[in-house]
Amino acid sequence: PLMLLLALERGNARRLAGPMLAFAGLLAGLAAYVGFQATPYEAFPSHGLQRVYVISIGIACFKALMYLQQWAGRQQVSYAALFTHSWRNFLVLGLGALFVGAFYLVLQLWASLFMLIGIDLFRELFRKDWFLFPVLGLAHGIGIVIFRNLTTVIDGITRLLRGLIMLLLPLILLVAVVFLATLPFVGLDALWSTKRGTGLLLSLMAFALFFVNAVYQDGRGEAPYPMAVHRLVWICLLVLPVVAGLALYGLSLRVGQHGWSVARCWGMLVWVVLTLYAVGYAVGILRRKDDWTVTLARVNTGIGLLVLALMLLVNSPLLDFRKSAVRSQLMRVEAGNIDRAKLDVEYFARQLARPGHLALEALKEQAADDPRLVARIESAMTSPAPYLQSGQPVHPIELRPADLEVPGDLRAEIEALRVIGFNIGTAEGRYVSPAARTFVFGVDLDQNGETDYVVVQLLEHPDIGEGGYRFHKAIHFYAEGERWQRRELGFKGPTDVAGLYD
């Protein structure tokens, strides 16, 4: 829908319909495949699937939209038009989101004003999904339609942002040069000891390349810098392939030590894309020196299509990083690089979705003669808490009164709240609470004659002492139709609730 809102113009609907329907069909097929990776449903955490799918398909749609807009407008594909469309689309979407935020705040102000005079109707209405989803969606659509017609304003914002980035580009390239010049004196061990070296190097490359594209655009306009600064920029750009080499070295070290994981596969994909940009620019600089910017359009257009293809492929069976991670880890076991008993079965169960689940099922059958490994696998596959560690206590749900009857479907939702290992703040910094206690109270909060349920959760806290608890959250569950609705409750009282559960 967002692609259609941004691309549809008077007179291009017929030409746009075919490619848009074909792309929608492709996305539906990829969505079906990713959804299948979440089966059997609720047998393992699947939130990672959704996050990766949204980000990668969002990038793919953003890339495809620029080409569709030129196709629908009967324009020849050119990087100048791609650049213009990309910035306009980005700013229109951003301004549309801001409009939705402002619209939502107005709704909250509306509800608060009427609450002052004792009318709660609007407060309850504005909390309903069936109201908020269509209304905020409509507001977003209206915002996009308004802002997409303000091309003069949008292009003015683009020029403003370009001016700011012009000031930052020489600085970030200078940082890259100084950083590389410092490495021979401190050694690479200092870089890799942080365990974030590869990510930081890739981030440095990404910022530098983004700034280059924002400043030089298609490379055919007026020179953005005086000649001396322009030469300094392209000389500094020649160090980016060196940064890419260091990033590859760091990534290779981690793969050699621990094998492929989903994160390392993504790191390699990002490395390939950024390195192609860096090498493409470096080749243009070596060939054309001061006129190297004329090669920008060809390099960026080609790699842009590659990025579009990669973002689609990572959501298909052709480039499924979860399967790659499973194969890599199992091959390390077969090759004797790691003992089967030390395999990270928790990673398989919680991060690799269906491929990890199937691999653990197969491994459990193969390890029938190793009861300790089988027990680890079963614990990883059935643990209710993503942060549960061996030896941590799992307190049973405590009912108040003790004979309180809790419906089965509601009990399943309450079970999901028993998360072990919350990060909480203390005077000394961060602390992982080793246990939580969950209480269910049967009350009639809305006084309608039906039993509601309030779930209160307490966490162990080091500031109170061993066995002491602090309030974490309270959730009110109430029946509405055939579903249980929930709302967060506040807590007025001391943070030390050591005696509350007695």
Side-chain angles (χ1 to χ4, degrees):
L2 290 178
M3 293 179 68
L4 194 61
L5 272 176
L6 290 165
L8 192 63
E9 295 178 356
R10 190 183 302 275
N12 72 350
R14 185 183 299 273
R15 185 172 175 82
L16 187 64
M20 190 70 77
L21 286 174
F23 191 69
L26 175 61
L27 294 186
L30 296 178
Y33 175 76
V34 174
F36 180 65
Q37 300 312 298
T39 58
Y41 185 57
E42 293 188 342
F44 46 81
S46 58
H47 54 274
L49 288 171
Q50 187 179 40
R51 181 168 56 248
V52 171
Y53 178 81
V54 167
I55 294 174
S56 56
I57 293 298
I59 294 173
C61 289
F62 188 79
K63 286 287 185 181
L65 176 61
M66 297 183 289
Y67 294 96
L68 284 173
Q69 285 172 311
Q70 293 191 62
W71 164 264
R74 301 180 184 275
Q75 303 171 355
Q76 185 177 359
V77 175
S78 66
Y79 182 69
L82 289 175
F83 181 88
T84 300
H85 284 309
S86 66
W87 275 95
R88 285 181 179 176
N89 294 339
F90 174 76
L91 291 173
V92 167
L93 286 172
L95 291 171
L98 288 176
F99 178 76
V100 171
F103 185 84
Y104 179 77
L105 291 177
V106 171
L107 291 181
Q108 297 307 304
L109 176 62
W110 181 348
S112 299
L113 287 174
F114 276 87
M115 281 184 60
L116 291 176
I117 57 176
I119 300 177
D120 292 339
L121 170 65
F122 297 107
R123 177 171 175 268
E124 295 299 324
L125 176 64
F126 295 163
R127 287 181 172 183
K128 304 296 184 182
D129 290 348
W130 58 262
F131 175 83
L132 283 178
F133 283 17
V135 168
L136 295 182
L138 180 62
H140 195 202
I142 292 173
I144 288 177
V145 170
I146 291 173
F147 289 120
R148 58 172 283 183
N149 292 323
L150 302 176
T151 54
T152 303
V153 175
I154 298 297
D155 291 343
I157 297 175
T158 302
R159 287 192 295 271
L160 173 62
L161 293 176
R162 184 195 182 199
L164 296 175
I165 294 173
M166 280 178 58
L167 302 175
L168 297 175
L169 175 58
L171 177 61
I172 195 170
L173 292 175
L174 185 61
V175 169
V177 172
V178 174
F179 176 77
L180 291 178
T182 306
L183 282 181
F185 300 99
V186 299
L188 293 178
D189 290 341
L191 178 62
W192 307 134
S193 63
T194 64
K195 298 184 180 181
R196 296 179 297 166
T198 301
L200 290 174
L201 291 175
L202 292 176
S203 299
L204 176 64
M205 290 181 63
F207 275 109
L209 293 169
F210 173 75
F211 286 177
V212 167
N213 279 278
V215 170
Y216 285 98
Q217 301 183 12
D218 65 345
R220 301 182 185 277
E222 294 184 9
Y225 296 115
M227 184 55 66
V229 178
H230 174 69
R231 286 176 177 170
L232 177 63
V233 167
W234 66 252
I235 290 172
C236 292
L237 277 174
L238 290 174
V239 307
L240 291 185
V242 180
V243 176
L246 287 173
L248 178 62
Y249 176 68
L251 186 58
S252 301
L253 286 178
R254 300 296 291 173
V255 171
Q257 294 169 350
H258 307 288
W260 288 100
S261 65
V262 173
R264 294 183 195 110
C265 289
W266 273 105
M268 179 57 71
L269 183 142
V270 172
W271 178 86
V272 168
V273 172
L274 295 180
T275 301
L276 286 175
Y277 276 112
V279 171
Y281 295 170
V283 170
I285 291 170
L286 294 175
R287 286 181 176 178
R288 306 186 69 99
K289 300 296 189 294
D290 292 338
D291 295 331
W292 73 274
T293 55
V294 298
T295 64
L296 271 172
R298 184 169 65 253
V299 172
N300 290 346
T301 302
I303 300 178
L305 288 171
L306 175 64
V307 171
L308 169 59
L310 288 173
M311 291 299 102
L312 297 174
L313 287 173
V314 295
N315 292 289
S316 75
L318 300 177
L319 197 62
D320 191 331
F321 290 154
R322 294 172 293 274
K323 292 182 178 179
S324 300
V326 168
R327 285 194 299 267
S328 173
Q329 297 302 320
L330 294 181
M331 287 175 60
R332 283 168 54 79
V333 173
E334 294 174 3
N337 295 331
I338 58 172
D339 187 355
R340 186 176 66 174
K342 296 182 179 179
L343 185 66
D344 190 354
V345 294
E346 287 79 10
Y347 178 70
F348 276 61
R350 296 167 191 155
Q351 301 293 329
L352 300 182
R354 180 178 174 82
H357 179 79
L358 296 179
L360 289 181
E361 291 281 8
L363 187 60
K364 187 167 64 171
E365 294 181 5
Q366 298 169 9
D369 58 340
D370 188 347
R372 294 184 62 182
L373 178 58
V374 171
R376 286 182 58 224
I377 293 174
E378 290 179 346
S379 176
M381 296 177 71
T382 59
S383 170
Y387 301 107
L388 183 64
Q389 298 177 2
S390 176
Q392 287 184 333
V394 180
H395 294 292
I397 292 177
E398 303 176 52
L399 305 178
R400 296 291 188 272
D403 59 350
L404 178 67
E405 294 185 3
V406 180
D409 55 343
L410 177 59
R411 179 174 284 272
E413 292 194 42
I414 297 174
E415 286 280 357
L417 296 175
R418 290 197 305 160
V419 180
I420 309 301
F422 293 93
N423 283 319
I424 56 179
T426 71
E428 290 76 25
R430 305 301 297 175
Y431 173 77
V432 179
S433 174
R437 297 187 70 171
T438 303
F439 302 82
V440 181
F441 296 87
V443 293
D444 185 10
L445 280 188
D446 48 16
Q447 298 180 353
N448 63 353
E450 298 181 0
T451 301
D452 298 339
Y453 299 88
V454 174
V455 179
V456 177
Q457 199 164 55
L458 311 178
L459 298 183
E460 276 191 5
H461 200 289
D463 289 349
I464 301 174
E466 185 176 355
Y469 289 84
R470 276 191 173 178
F471 172 80
H472 175 63
K473 67 168 62 173
I475 300 177
H476 173 210
F477 286 92
Y478 58 97
E480 186 172 275
E482 298 181 355
R483 297 178 57 189
W484 288 101
Q485 304 293 331
R486 65 168 69 186
R487 63 174 176 173
E488 295 277 348
L489 299 180
F491 180 76
K492 295 181 179 179
T495 56
D496 182 353
V497 290
L500 175 63
Y501 50 85
D502 293 329

